[in-house]
Amino acid sequence: MELRADRFEDFFKDQTSFVRLNHYPPCPVPHLALGVGRHKDAGALTVLAQDDVGGLEVKRKSDGQWVWASPTPDAYIINVGDIIQVWSNEAYESVEHRVMVNSERERFSIPFFFNPSHYTVVEPLEELVSNESPAKYKAYNWGKFLLTRKASNFKKLDVENIQISHFRVPELADALEGALKLN
Ligand SMILES: O=C(O)CCC(=O)C(=O)O
Ligand SMILES: [Fe+2]
């Protein structure tokens, strides 16, 4: 993106990064269960270590198909999170993913979530925004976003999980359509 090498440093002074240790036991009815339901990682970047069992699937944007992400020995999976989608003004996109289980073997995975300071105001980087390419997102506070996401995890039935799409600036065509409907 032709940014300064230290462009992101200030965002991570009091980083809120964390590691999760996932254990997926064998499941007797794998077609009725998911290891992790579909979601996008909310932070900046995820570095995922996993064993050789497999189970991670990513959603292909072109046709919405779930694609198996085969484990590669001694390799990490690097996942772009929502924050990089916003910082890059959608040059990079956060991919939707989920985890399948199987009835044969337990699986272990260790994602490291690389996240900025809780007080970070996330918005498209000014160097990447211009009149020709206006900001696609309004600014939001990362700490509040994370807390809201965590709180809503416990009441998924009545609260929609907070998503970066809630901060998306409508395309001109959508805005015009909305304005016309109001009249
Ligand atoms: O276990 C995996 O492969 C991924 C887990 C995951 O997506 C997550 O913890 O956010
Ligand atoms: Fe994830």
Side-chain angles (χ1 to χ4, degrees), residues 45-97:
L45 206 65
T46 306
V47 180
L48 176 77
Q50 59 173 331
D51 58 20
D52 65 343
V53 174
L56 178 64
E57 289 189 338
V58 296
K59 195 172 186 175
R60 189 162 54 206
K61 207 180 152 189
S62 53
D63 59 1
Q65 287 292 311
W66 289 102
V67 178
W68 187 257
S70 331
T72 304
D74 302 321
Y76 295 110
I77 287 185
I78 311 294
N79 195 14
V80 165
D82 286 341
I83 292 181
I84 287 190
Q85 176 167 334
V86 174
W87 275 341
S88 73
N89 208 23
E90 284 186 0
Y92 292 92
E93 282 182 51
S94 165
V95 72
E96 197 169 317
H97 53 284

Side-chain angles (χ1 to χ4, degrees), residues 18-33:
F18 63 94
V19 166
R20 186 179 284 149
L21 307 176
N22 291 322
H23 175 220
Y24 306 95
C27 173
V29 279
H31 62 290
L32 294 180

